[in-house]
């Protein structure tokens, strides 16, 4: 028991001694003035930076600096121009293909119609030929139909 | 290692911001000079007790206030400023100690007992104790300073340093054991000399 009391007393004595030894002390004379002078220099340096106004507006936005950096414009513009040209060329090609396909379809439909018509006219043509009449309606001389009219 | 210190500083900074919100101080932006004059003693003393060198302590203290000047718009209140300054001073002092060019550790074994009159013995022991603190390992050193200079409890120290509470208590216990042992030897040596 007495040993514990002794240890506690030693502990308390050490704590008191530590508080005394580590007590706050005043900063050296002129410390505040030296800091103020350095702070003024620091502020002047930051004000002299080219992008200082913008950095004050958006200090943590790195993309803002990228936009105002002119070196980034050239490749971006070139890329956009190439993209536009490629899109235009592709659209023109597609239009031409569509027109060609339409013409081809119309041609096939016309040929089909002519074939049908020809097939339908074939019996009539044969009948007229038996009568000795051609498609223009001319009756060849010496035919039976022609001599009867005479 | 410095990245770990930075990460701990960031997590503790979030606590500082919460503290600022809880303090209910929705005041106008703070002025730099009043904060500087109010807290210069605290900042300088932490650095001085940690580094054991007045020149390096002033250098660190100036850097701390210059950082405060550049980040003043993030400080919400006087209480927030004090917490912020303690945290930044602790981390900058540790970083300064790790800089090989500035390491001036005091060898505890080289502390000698100069002949002092009895009435100056207390002053001598105080100065010796300060030097003993400056010779502790860095984590133990900063916890002792925050505990006995700033009178922070272990929970507050844990938040400032970004350490677990158990780690802070362990550092405090080991540091006190070491200081008790060394100061006992020193008092024993001075007692033997007086005889």
């Amino acid at each position: 028991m007495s040993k514990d009391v002794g240890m506690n007393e030693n502990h308390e004595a050490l704590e008191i001694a530590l508080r005394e030894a580590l007590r706050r002390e005043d900063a050296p004379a002129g410390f505040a003035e030296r800091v103020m002078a350095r702070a003024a220099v620091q502020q002047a340096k930051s004000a002299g930076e080219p992008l200082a106004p913008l950095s004050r507006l958006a200090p943590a936005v790195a993309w803002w600096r990228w936009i105002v950096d002119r070196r980034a414009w050239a490749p971006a513009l070139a890329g956009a121009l190439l993209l536009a040209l490629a899109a235009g060329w592709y659209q023109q090609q597609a239009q031409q293909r569509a027109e060609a396909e339409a013409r081809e379809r119309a041609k096939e439909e016309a040929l089909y119609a002519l074939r049908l018509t020809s097939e339908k006219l074939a019996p009539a043509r044969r009948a007229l030929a038996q009568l000795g009449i051609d498609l223009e309606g001319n009756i060849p001389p010496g035919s039976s139909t022609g001599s009867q009219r005479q | 290692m410095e990245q770990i210190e930075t990460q701990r500083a960031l997590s503790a900074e979030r606590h500082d911001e919460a503290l600022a919100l809880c303090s209910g101080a929705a005041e106008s932006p703070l002025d730099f000079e009043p904060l500087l004059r109010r807290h210069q003693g605290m900042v300088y003393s932490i650095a001085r007790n940690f580094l054991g060198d007045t020149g390096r302590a002033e250098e660190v203290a100036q850097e701390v206030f210059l950082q405060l000047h550049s980040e003043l718009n993030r400080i919400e209140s006087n209480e927030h400023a004090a917490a912020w300054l303690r945290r930044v001073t602790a981390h900058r002092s540790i970083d300064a100690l790790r800089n090989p060019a500035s390491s001036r550790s005091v060898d505890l074994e080289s502390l000698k007992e100069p002949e002092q009159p009895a009435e100056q013995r207390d002053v001598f022991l105080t100065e010796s104790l300060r030097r003993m603190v400056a010779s502790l390992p860095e984590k133990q050193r900063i916890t002792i300073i925050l505990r006995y200079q700033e009178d922070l409890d272990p929970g507050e120290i844990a938040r400032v340093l970004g350490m677990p509470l158990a780690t802070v208590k362990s550092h405090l216990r080991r540091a006190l054991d070491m200081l008790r042992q060394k100061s006992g030897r020193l008092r024993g040596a001075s007692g033997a000399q007086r005889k």
Side-chain angles (χ1 to χ4, degrees), chain A residues 47-133:
Chain A
E49 289 177 358
L51 295 174
L54 291 172
S55 64
R56 279 198 288 274
L57 289 173
V61 182
W63 59 265
W64 180 248
R65 288 181 177 268
W66 183 86
I67 289 178
V68 300
D69 186 356
R70 288 192 294 269
R71 289 173 295 178
W73 281 107
L77 279 176
L81 190 60
L82 280 174
L83 199 61
L85 287 173
W89 176 83
Y90 181 78
Q91 188 178 6
Q92 187 180 15
Q93 292 293 311
Q95 191 174 358
Q96 289 177 351
R97 274 198 302 274
E99 289 174 356
E101 288 172 1
R103 285 195 297 271
E104 191 64 27
R105 280 197 301 274
K107 177 181 173 183
E108 288 176 0
E109 287 173 1
L111 287 174
Y112 182 66
L114 284 173
R115 189 165 56 250
L116 283 179
T117 306
S118 175
E119 288 173 359
K120 289 186 184 298
L121 288 176
R125 188 182 300 114
R126 283 195 293 275
L128 288 173
Q130 288 176 356
L131 294 174
I133 302 171

Side-chain angles (χ1 to χ4, degrees), chain B residues 4-36:
Chain B
I4 296 174
E5 288 292 333
T6 303
Q7 290 172 359
R8 287 175 175 165
L10 287 174
S11 63
E13 185 175 340
R14 284 193 281 274
H15 166 259
D16 290 345
E17 291 171 354
L19 176 67
L21 291 173
C22 291
S23 67
E27 303 164 347
S28 58
L30 301 172
D31 290 330
F32 175 68
E33 188 171 355
L35 287 176
L36 166 63

Side-chain angles (χ1 to χ4, degrees), chain A residues 132-144:
Chain A
I133 302 171
D134 61 18
L135 285 177
E136 282 74 26
N138 297 322
I139 302 174
S143 69
S144 60

